Amino acid sequence: MTDTLLIKGGIIVTLGDDNKVLRGHAVLCEDGRIKKIAKASSFKGKYKKVIDASGKVVMPGFINAHMHFYSTMVRGLGKAKPSKDFAEVLENLWWRLDKKLSLDDSYYSAILPLIDAVKRGTTTLIDHHASPFAARGSLDRIAEAVKLSGLRASLCYELSDRDGEKIAQDGIAENVAFIERCMKEKGGKLKALFGLHASFTIGDKTLEKASRIGRGLGAGFHVHTAEAKSDQDYNLKHFGLRVVERLHKFGILGPKTIAAHCVHVNEHEMDLLERTGTAVVHNPQSNMNNAVGVADILKMFHKGILVGLGTDAMTVNMMEEVRVALWAQHLSHDNPNCGFVEAFTSLLFNNAKIANRYWDVPVGALKEGWAADVILIDYHPPTPFDEGTFLGHFGFGLAQSFVDTTIAGGKVLMEGKKLKIGVDEEEVAAKSMELARKLWERF
Ligand SMILES: [Zn+2]
């Protein structure tokens, strides 16, 4: 029997270009893809597995377009000095931590957020990794965790010059090795980008080299861009260019590149991002947590930039992040009547457009031939629920509800809120804690 899964009952929300809310329909998944969506009565065959979605909304799994698995290891760490600005947050916390990460730390720091992602219905993650003194082999270790979880992930290593030339070379080599691996594994759930930390930590020589090698491999780049004003100040002072101008000069921008944050970009930089087809990924919780500001995604949407949503490791729960994205626009524009469509579009529609620049089988909509990445959320709509009201239900109802079932590539990873990935969460957490204790001693 082929690997078939029928999801019947429930309300189907397809998302995608032609978002439909369907009742009385069923979704048939076969060999990892969606085979057919039709009236439930038309499915009369025998299926390997049938899931009853009554009382639930059936929709595509969420996509997190900017993540750092390794940040798991700081949870509860009280040793970092208080920081007065973002530059100090990097110096006092992240750059002290990542220098001490071992390959095992990288593996265990990934597996727990991946399990959490299954629980929250996030089926695709685009990660950005740093472990400068254990860079080589780190992406393969994280990939092991991704494979174990059954989810889809794009990985990259964040190249920078901050730890000297040898480590910068390691960063380049790690990106190249993982990009080449993913090129060989065509059709798989793993993908690669060429990671760059940020313009202010990469000198001209390294940036030129990374650009040449990355473009030679046909890879896009994943880079923190104008996250804080200090990034702009540094670039203007040392290179005489604004951040996006410098990335453009070195050929880093383009339709496969992700510019994370873009909190401090001006109109000219937005025009460059739009003209080059570069995707911007907005991370409102992180930006507010670091007190760096709020990206003006309204202006970016208006200019036609593809703006997606990430969490920068603040959470793997996209339903939480998207609500914050809306409140942040209200507050920053001093207007309670703006940003509704933009915030929800970034998560529900644009993240799929970003992901589909990388994955061979398209994700992010329930469509025949697309990846069978499907989630079931408990939901009984208390008001009319259709295409016209969906975003309101999503933001104020579904996003407050519970993910019941998570399926990625046709594999059931959680059902009835019970994990099915064959990982003992308690055991993994205990091992992670043991490693974290040692890491904190080295910190
Ligand atoms: Zn980040």
Side-chain angles (χ1 to χ4, degrees):
M1 197 184 210
T2 45
D3 198 2
T4 51
L5 165 66
L6 185 73
I7 305 162
K8 57 173 196 171
I11 306 171
I12 297 168
V13 180
T14 65
L15 299 186
D17 291 339
D18 183 27
N19 183 29
K20 286 268 182 296
V21 173
L22 304 168
R23 288 175 169 83
H25 281 59
V27 181
L28 176 63
C29 309
E30 187 180 300
D31 297 331
R33 296 194 190 209
I34 292 166
K35 174 85 172 169
K36 191 175 165 187
I37 301 173
K39 288 257 185 236
S41 56
S42 66
F43 294 95
K44 296 200 162 62
K46 278 217 174 311
Y47 306 102
K48 199 167 170 189
K49 186 173 176 65
V50 177
I51 291 178
D52 180 5
S54 302
K56 296 173 177 65
V57 163
V58 179
M59 62 182 288
F62 300 115
I63 298 162
N64 184 352
H66 182 69
M67 175 67 189
H68 301 278
F69 292 133
Y70 73 88
S71 79
T72 307
M73 288 301 192
V74 302
R75 214 175 283 174
L77 171 70
K79 284 169 85 176
K81 271 195 295 181
S83 303
K84 70 170 177 348
D85 58 25
F86 180 61
E88 287 195 1
V89 171
L90 292 176
E91 294 278 355
N92 294 339
L93 178 61
W94 298 112
W95 294 351
R96 279 184 64 193
L97 177 91
D98 65 17
K99 282 182 187 32
K100 305 292 181 186
L101 289 173
S102 67
L103 292 177
D104 276 352
D105 294 334
S106 295
Y107 172 79
Y108 279 96
S109 70
I111 190 137
L112 289 166
L114 283 159
I115 291 171
D116 262 347
V118 171
K119 292 182 184 174
R120 304 298 187 172
T122 301
T123 50
T124 298
L125 302 104
I126 301 180
D127 193 72
H128 202 275
H129 179 66
S131 53
F133 289 84
R136 298 292 285 128
S138 59
L139 299 183
D140 279 343
R141 291 305 306 276
I142 295 169
E144 265 178 59
V146 173
K147 286 218 161 172
L148 206 59
S149 74
L151 295 173
R152 227 172 272 284
S154 165
L155 308 180
C156 73
Y157 186 83
E158 63 163 64
L159 170 65
S160 99
D161 279 325
R162 68 182 149 95
D163 297 303
E165 201 168 325
K166 188 212 164 269
I167 283 169
Q169 291 314 309
D170 282 354
I172 291 175
E174 185 61 10
N175 278 303
V176 169
F178 196 71
I179 290 165
E180 286 177 340
R181 170 186 165 172
C182 291
M183 281 160 65
K184 281 191 207 119
E185 293 177 19
K186 218 176 167 354
K189 285 178 173 171
L190 281 170
K191 288 286 162 194
L193 283 164
F194 198 114
L196 306 170
H197 173 251
S199 181
F200 71 97
T201 61
I202 310 179
D204 283 356
K205 203 175 126 207
T206 305
L207 192 55
E208 191 279 323
K209 190 171 177 185
S211 171
R212 181 165 37 82
I213 294 172
R215 286 187 298 161
L217 290 163
F221 298 90
H222 187 177
V223 55
H224 294 109
T225 305
E227 181 171 356
K229 186 177 169 291
S230 53
D231 192 0
Q232 289 293 3
D233 296 343
Y234 186 95
N235 278 267
L236 284 166
K237 185 175 169 198
H238 294 269
F239 309 115
L241 291 169
R242 293 183 65 84
V243 175
V244 176
E245 291 169 346
R246 180 164 185 257
L247 295 176
H248 184 51
K249 177 186 159 189
F250 282 88
I252 300 299
L253 305 182
K256 281 192 167 173
T257 288
I258 290 175
H261 302 295
C262 294
V263 177
H264 295 272
V265 291
N266 67 15
E267 294 235 7
H268 172 60
E269 290 176 291
M270 287 187 195
D271 292 338
L272 282 175
L273 292 163
E274 190 276 326
R275 219 187 315 139
T276 53
T278 307
V280 168
V281 173
H282 179 43
N283 303 273
Q285 296 205 79
S286 162
N287 296 155
M288 291 197 282
N289 182 50
N290 287 324
V292 293
V294 177
D296 190 352
I297 64 165
L298 301 190
K299 196 175 265 177
M300 293 187 209
F301 266 82
H302 183 71
K303 284 188 177 282
I305 297 170
L306 180 61
V307 180
L309 191 72
T311 65
D312 209 15
M314 295 292 289
T315 177
V316 286
N317 183 356
M318 301 312 293
M319 300 183 285
E320 175 187 312
E321 190 76 31
V322 75
R323 282 163 57 92
V324 175
L326 178 57
W327 322 145
Q329 291 304 311
H330 287 180
L331 198 60
S332 65
H333 290 279
D334 193 18
N335 177 1
N337 194 34
C338 73
F340 180 79
V341 169
E342 290 83 355
F344 292 115
T345 297
S346 67
L347 171 64
L348 297 170
F349 300 95
N350 288 359
N351 274 6
K353 290 181 183 162
I354 294 171
N356 290 334
R357 292 172 165 188
Y358 312 113
W359 274 276
D360 315 294
V361 180
V363 298
L366 303 185
K367 270 192 199 178
E368 290 170 9
W370 285 42
D373 293 6
V374 188
I375 59 171
L376 275 56
I377 303 180
D378 295 338
Y379 197 56
H380 292 285
T383 56
F385 184 97
D386 55 32
E387 292 84 358
T389 62
F390 170 68
L391 291 186
H393 278 277
F394 184 76
F396 296 90
L398 279 159
Q400 294 285 285
S401 192
F402 298 96
V403 176
D404 178 82
T405 297
T406 301
I407 299 157
K411 278 182 68 175
V412 180
L413 307 179
M414 180 174 78
E415 187 181 4
K417 302 179 186 69
K418 286 201 170 58
L419 283 176
K420 300 266 178 185
I421 56 174
V423 178
D424 185 334
E425 199 183 350
E426 205 179 326
E427 195 182 304
V428 170
K431 180 70 188 165
S432 173
M433 194 188 290
E434 185 190 319
L435 288 167
R437 275 208 180 92
K438 291 180 188 154
L439 175 66
W440 290 9
E441 278 167 22
R442 300 196 296 275
F443 181 85

